[in-house]
């Protein structure tokens, strides 16, 4: 597998990165015209500064990784129209127009697919495997990017570079008889930490699109959970769990002790067990089974941040996507105003998680709220408001 063209606004940064990767500088050629591209040999790698230049290059698969909804959509659409496969790394693009891009790809007999190495594709594939075994799926999801790590001896809880002193958490390491009460008390103890990221909502919107799952509540539950509790937590409310219905997508925050293995941004599927004897055998082998034996959690505790994306690229070139399904627009990643936003406000997007300033991400179930004027979060990002939006209102297309 070789790169035939690398496209970035900053060609100097591309060259510096390639130097770090050990690519011979003699193979790399910054090109700003079609004539320069035509002069390259088969072993040469073009480095181009604009999407327009991609139309003059020869490649099989576009790996779209800008994170820019506008540029990413443009690049993907042009690639599909030219008969090229697309591996979509930019979940922001996918959350806005993935359904349309997938439809267009099918019309052009090419592959459009999310990428292994990020949680959406990892979870979609894991869901396909588990449901393909004939198991009855109740909930799917992932852990947040970073764990809550407790030192019981000091009561200090570490979250990235933040520390809080919560000795009360020692008394909440077991779910107890009232699961929901325990989860509420845990959440209250870590309320000062920023556990919920726009990136989580974007990823789960992509997963919802490819699987048909929906959010149980628009802000998702985000329970603070030990790994061995997931089958109990993601059971139906009538069985003592959190869920109002089955077919749910959600995110949880891992609570672990210092020295315990991490979930590491992994993914999970919770299923009904049905056959008690089988799952009691599996419980004995260390699998996560609920206390009442009615649910089990099957999980992949890793997130390798793109190490395995080559698998998706090779599969796309061979005509295979992560899922044979077509994505749907049933779940929409939207945004509610966190405060009163006056007309003229620019909805700036930034930071590691691509948060939108002043806007809370939510997952809207279009079956219950089919209003076509609701703006996708990353359509609104970067735009100016043309009217006042009161706190709590969904940002609308007619607002921007």
């Amino acid at each position: 597998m070789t790169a035939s063209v690398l496209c970035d606004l900053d060609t100097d940064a591309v060259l510096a990165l390639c130097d770090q990767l050990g690519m011979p500088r003699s193979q790399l050629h910054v090109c700003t015209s079609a004539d320069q591209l035509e002069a390259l040999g088969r072993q040469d790698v073009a480095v181009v500064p604009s999407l327009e230049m991609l139309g003059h290059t020869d490649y099989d698969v576009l790996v779209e990784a800008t994170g820019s909804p506008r540029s990413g959509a443009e690049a993907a659409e042009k690639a599909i129209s030219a008969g090229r496969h697309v591996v979509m790394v930019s979940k922001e693009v996918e959350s806005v127009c993935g359904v349309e891009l997938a439809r267009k790809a099918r019309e052009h007999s090419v592959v459009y697919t999310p990428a292994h190495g990020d949680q959406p594709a990892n979870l979609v594939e894991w869901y396909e495997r588990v449901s393909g075994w004939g198991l009855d799926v109740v909930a799917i999801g992932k852990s947040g990017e970073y764990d809550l790590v407790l030192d019981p001896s000091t009561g200090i809880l570490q979250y990235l570079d933040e520390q809080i002193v919560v000795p009360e958490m020692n008394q909440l390491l077991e779910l107890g008889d009232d699961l929901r009460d325990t989860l509420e008390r845990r959440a209250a103890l870590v309320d000062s930490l920023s556990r919920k990221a726009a990136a989580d909502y974007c990823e789960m919107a992509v997963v919802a699109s490819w699987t048909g799952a929906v959010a149980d509540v628009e802000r998702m539950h985000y329970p603070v959970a030990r790994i061995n509790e997931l089958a109990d937590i993601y059971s139906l409310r009538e069985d003592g769990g959190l869920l109002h219905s089955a077919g749910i997508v959600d995110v949880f925050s891992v609570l672990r002790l210092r020295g315990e293995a991490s979930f590491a941004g992994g993914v999970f599927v919770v299923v009904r067990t049905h056959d008690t004897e089988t799952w009691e055998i599996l419980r004995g082998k260390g699998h996560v089974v609920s206390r009442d034996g009615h649910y089990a959690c099957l999980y992949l505790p890793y997130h390798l941040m793109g190490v395995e994306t080559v698998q998706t690229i090779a599969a796309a070139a061979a005509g295979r996507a992560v899922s044979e399904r077509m994505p749907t627009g049933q779940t929409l990643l939207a945004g509610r105003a966190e405060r009163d936003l006056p007309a003229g406000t620019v909805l700036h997007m930034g930071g590691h998680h691509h948060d939108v300033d002043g806007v809370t991400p939510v997952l809207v179930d279009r079956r219950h709220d089919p209003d076509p004027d609701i703006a996708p979060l990353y359509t609104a990002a970067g735009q100016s408001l043309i009217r006042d939006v009161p706190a709590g209102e969904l940002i609308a297309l007619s607002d921007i």
Side-chain angles (χ1 to χ4, degrees):
M1 187 181 298
T2 58
S4 59
V5 56
L6 304 172
C7 180
D8 196 286
L9 295 173
D10 189 344
T11 55
D12 288 340
V14 172
L15 295 176
L17 175 60
C18 291
D19 286 342
Q20 292 178 30
L21 297 174
M23 295 177 67
R25 181 60 73 93
S26 61
Q27 288 186 347
L28 300 165
H29 303 272
V30 177
C31 299
T32 57
S33 71
D35 290 342
Q36 290 175 316
L37 289 169
E38 290 176 2
L40 298 182
R42 288 185 60 83
Q43 302 305 313
D44 293 326
V45 179
V47 180
V48 301
S50 69
L51 295 180
E52 288 72 22
M53 294 294 293
L54 288 179
H56 302 286
T57 61
D58 185 25
Y59 63 91
D60 299 302
V61 181
L62 174 76
V63 182
E64 206 306 303
T66 63
S68 165
R70 185 179 300 273
S71 298
E74 180 185 348
E77 187 170 17
K78 287 182 176 179
I80 291 168
S81 296
R84 274 74 179 261
H85 307 295
V86 172
V87 172
M88 182 56 67
V89 177
S90 298
K91 50 187 172 284
E92 297 83 4
V93 177
E94 175 88 11
S95 72
V96 173
C97 55
V99 174
E100 174 63 19
L101 290 171
R103 183 197 61 77
K104 186 166 187 174
R106 179 160 291 189
E107 289 178 354
H108 285 75
S109 300
V110 295
V111 169
Y112 174 84
T113 180
H116 287 97
D118 208 4
Q119 286 134 319
N122 293 356
L123 180 51
V124 170
E125 183 181 63
W126 188 228
Y127 166 78
E128 295 284 13
R129 288 184 64 189
V130 173
S131 59
W133 297 335
L135 299 183
D136 183 6
V137 175
V138 175
I140 62 178
K142 67 160 201 161
S143 71
E145 295 297 309
Y146 306 103
D147 296 351
L148 302 167
V149 184
L150 179 68
D151 183 345
S153 65
T154 62
I156 293 175
L157 187 142
Q158 185 90 28
Y159 181 73
L160 284 175
D161 56 355
E162 296 182 72
Q163 286 188 347
I164 57 176
V165 181
V166 285
E168 303 91 337
M169 193 68 83
N170 283 338
Q171 280 70 56
L172 297 174
L173 292 176
E174 301 291 335
L175 282 177
D177 295 331
D178 190 336
L179 176 152
R180 293 193 287 273
D181 177 67
T182 299
L183 294 180
E184 288 176 5
R185 292 164 64 191
R186 286 178 182 172
L189 289 177
V190 300
D191 185 59
S192 62
L193 302 176
S194 301
R195 298 187 292 123
K196 302 180 180 183
D200 292 338
Y201 288 88
C202 190
E203 289 173 348
M204 293 304 96
V206 173
V207 170
S209 179
W210 284 91
T211 63
V214 295
D216 200 35
V217 292
E218 67 173 28
R219 285 286 284 157
M220 295 193 288
H221 288 293
Y222 268 96
V224 175
R226 310 295 303 277
I227 296 171
N228 66 335
E229 301 168 346
L230 292 175
D232 288 285
I233 291 171
Y234 288 110
S235 62
L236 297 179
R237 292 183 76 85
E238 56 260 37
D239 295 321
L242 285 182
L243 303 185
H244 294 88
S245 61
I248 295 304
V249 65
D250 205 70
V251 176
F252 78 100
S253 295
V254 175
L255 173 63
R256 64 179 176 89
L257 305 184
R258 192 172 63 177
E260 289 183 340
S262 171
F263 206 86
V267 297
F268 71 87
V269 173
V270 171
V271 300
R272 290 185 177 91
T273 55
H274 296 299
D275 181 60
T276 304
E277 185 174 351
T278 295
W279 289 97
E280 285 306 311
I281 293 172
L282 292 172
R283 188 202 298 274
K285 289 185 172 291
H287 288 274
V288 175
V289 179
S290 64
R291 292 176 292 188
D292 64 9
H294 295 162
Y295 299 85
C297 177
L298 309 176
Y299 62 95
L300 300 177
Y302 62 83
H303 174 208
L304 297 181
M305 303 288 289
V307 170
E308 64 271 56
T309 305
V310 290
Q311 174 186 345
T312 319
I313 299 169
R320 299 189 305 275
V322 166
S323 173
E324 294 182 1
R325 302 170 191 264
M326 286 288 285
T328 71
Q330 180 172 294
T331 295
L332 175 68
L333 173 66
R336 289 193 183 277
E338 292 178 355
R339 55 183 183 274
D340 290 342
L341 299 174
T345 299
V346 178
L347 303 176
H348 293 290
M349 179 182 76
H352 175 65
H353 290 123
H354 284 189
D355 295 298
V356 179
D357 186 40
V359 179
T360 297
V362 294
L363 296 181
V364 175
D365 187 341
R366 300 310 296 266
R367 297 172 304 175
H368 302 149
D369 196 343
D371 183 358
D373 195 35
I374 301 173
L377 179 65
Y378 289 112
T379 296
Q383 304 301 310
S384 298
L385 294 177
I386 59 175
R387 74 170 183 93
D388 297 342
V389 178
E393 273 198 16
L394 288 168
I395 307 296
L397 291 170
S398 56
D399 295 333
I400 57 177

